[in-house]
Structure formats: structure tokens, C-alpha cells
Amino acid sequence: AIASAQGTKASGALAALMAMEDAVLANDFEAVLTMVKRGNYPIDYTISRPNESGDGQPTSYSLITPLMRACEVGATAAVGDIIAMGADVNAAPDDDGINALMMSAIVGHVEA
């Protein structure tokens, strides 16, 4: 019974982690902000995003923060909200050193 309870607890924790990743990758920044406000995640929570080849298959993974994703997709209102919550604008979680400002410039969302 103890092992079953621990398994259920672990499954719940994994589901919670996946909820944040799903929200970030789906550009659901309202859900991201809600999870951060509830204390479930830090505002600079880093997720692993698949980089896809032309056939839609992941070829590698990169690390991004919610702020970086908002900049990448040009969600200017979300960028402002995430920064207001204390996001580190200089965070560059991956080895490539790309931060949110660079992400905006790379994809051409200079307004973000």
C-alpha cells in the first residue's frame, strides 16, 4: 500500500511538471502565470523543448524559460507580465548562451 501511494504521488508530481511544459510549449502564458502565482514553479522554470527536423521528428533538445518562449512567439503582453513577476531577463539556460532578448532578435520579434 505504501509503494502504491508513493507511485501515485510520483505520478502526480510528473503530471505537474508536464503541465508547466505543456503550457509553455502551447503558448498558454495565462496558465504559466497561474502556476507561478500558486507557487508551483519559479518564474524562471526551465523546460526542455524538442528541436524538430523537417519531418517533425526531434533531432535535439534545447532549454528555454517561459520568458524566452514568450519572446520567441512575440507574445508581448506575456513578456511584460513574466518580467513583472521577476523573471531573469539575462537567463540563458542552454549551452548556446541565448537569452530572451537574443531569442526575440533571432526570430524577428523586436517588439517583444
Side-chain angles (χ1 to χ4, degrees), residues 2-82:
I2 293 174
S4 177
Q6 289 174 338
T8 302
K9 192 177 210 179
S11 295
L14 180 58
L17 289 174
M18 294 305 295
M20 180 62 144
E21 289 193 16
D22 290 345
V24 170
L25 294 176
N27 306 325
D28 186 352
F29 300 109
E30 185 175 325
V32 169
L33 294 171
T34 298
M35 286 185 261
V36 170
K37 286 177 188 174
R38 289 183 181 157
N40 298 355
Y41 300 91
I43 192 62
D44 290 319
Y45 182 78
T46 301
I47 69 161
S48 179
R49 175 190 60 188
N51 299 315
E52 297 180 355
S53 63
D55 61 4
Q57 297 299 312
T59 56
S60 63
Y61 291 84
S62 58
L63 301 175
I64 61 169
T65 65
L67 177 60
M68 291 172 71
R69 180 63 176 183
C71 287
E72 180 179 43
V73 299
T76 54
V79 168
D81 292 341
I82 293 168

Side-chain angles (χ1 to χ4, degrees), residues 75-99:
T76 54
V79 168
D81 292 341
I82 293 168
I83 290 172
M85 291 188 77
D88 179 359
V89 298
N90 295 310
D94 216 346
D95 292 339
D96 59 12
I98 294 175
N99 64 23

